Each structure stands twice: as C-alpha cells, then as structure tokens.
Amino acid sequence: MYPEYMVAPIREDLTSAGFEQLMSAEEVDQALKSDGTVLVAINSVCGCAASKARPALKMAVSAADKKPAKLVTVFAGMEQDAVAKAREFMLPYPPSSPSIALFKDGELVHMIERYHIEGNELHRIVDNLKGAFDAYC
C-alpha cells in the first residue's frame, strides 16, 4: 500500500472528472451489478496510468456523444478488497493495472488491459473508448 498523501492527487485526477472512487468490495458489487452502463478504471501510480490511461479516460468521456451512465474507479495497491472484487467481474482477463472495463447491465462488454495502454498512442486509446461507448451506451 502507498501512503494516502501520495495517492490523493492521483485519485483526484479521476474523481474531479466525475469518477466515483469505490472503497469497498460491497460498493464495487453494487455498482457493477446495476443496470445500464458502468465504466470502471483500475487506477495506478505507474507512468502509463499518468501519461495515457487517466488522460484517455478524461478525454473520451468529455468528447464522446454517447457516455456510460456511471463512471467509477478503484485504486490498485490501496483498497485491496475493492480491487479484487472489480477484477472478479473482469474475468477471464488477468489482473492488470491500469486497466479499463465497460459493463452493460452487469456484463463485461469491453476491456482495455495494461498492454493496450502502455504500448499505445493516447489518441488510439481515446478512439477505442469512444468506439466502445458508441457500441454499448
């Protein structure tokens, strides 16, 4: 686990953009079993989260015509139960942080793993997300 003072500004990067920080397994369970579309970001302290994942999330959500009904995030290396519960919903994909998942009516419909983020250009991640929003939201 990281010191909270270190992750607070990283959390705020997404919460200030409208993402709800989920802190417990129960909150994750409730959010992901809900009707409608839910975008889940597994946040991280790593460089690819800072340079690509979080900026892509914010850009896609702000620019898309169709958007998920709910935006949520969990923080890898912090709230372990919340992250573990989110990853249960993301099976069969292996644990990955950062990562981004889109759910519709409780079902995983789109997944972006770390290797899709760190080895990719920012605009391609944004386009990937916007395409998923168009298809499922």
Side-chain angles (χ1 to χ4, degrees):
M1 294 197 30
Y2 303 100
E4 183 58 36
Y5 73 85
M6 185 175 151
V7 300
I10 301 170
R11 287 184 201 278
E12 189 177 336
D13 195 16
L14 289 180
T15 59
S16 67
F19 284 77
E20 177 187 358
Q21 178 69 55
L22 303 179
M23 304 297 278
S24 71
E26 294 77 21
E27 289 176 338
V28 171
D29 196 56
Q30 183 178 13
L32 297 187
K33 286 183 177 175
S34 63
D35 290 337
T37 51
V38 182
L39 184 65
V40 181
I42 295 190
N43 203 351
S44 173
V45 298
C46 71
C48 64
S51 66
K52 295 183 180 179
R54 291 191 301 272
L57 284 159
K58 294 184 297 184
M59 290 170 69
V61 167
S62 68
D65 293 328
K66 293 181 174 181
K67 300 174 188 184
K70 185 177 246 187
L71 308 171
V72 300
T73 182
V74 294
F75 206 108
M78 293 301 289
E79 293 75 36
Q80 295 175 4
D81 292 341
V83 173
K85 180 54 84 173
R87 287 178 171 158
E88 283 179 22
F89 281 92
M90 295 174 187
L91 290 172
Y93 295 95
S96 173
S97 58
S99 60
I100 304 164
L102 182 64
F103 292 83
K104 183 171 185 172
D105 298 329
E107 297 294 322
L108 178 64
V109 294
H110 191 75
M111 184 73 184
I112 300 176
E113 297 176 81
R114 180 187 174 108
Y115 78 90
H116 295 120
I117 296 168
E118 69 182 341
N120 219 334
E121 295 178 20
L122 181 61
H123 72 90
R124 289 186 182 192
I125 302 165
V126 173
D127 289 346
N128 182 319
L129 287 166
K130 288 170 58 180
F133 298 167
D134 285 343
Y136 298 106
C137 296

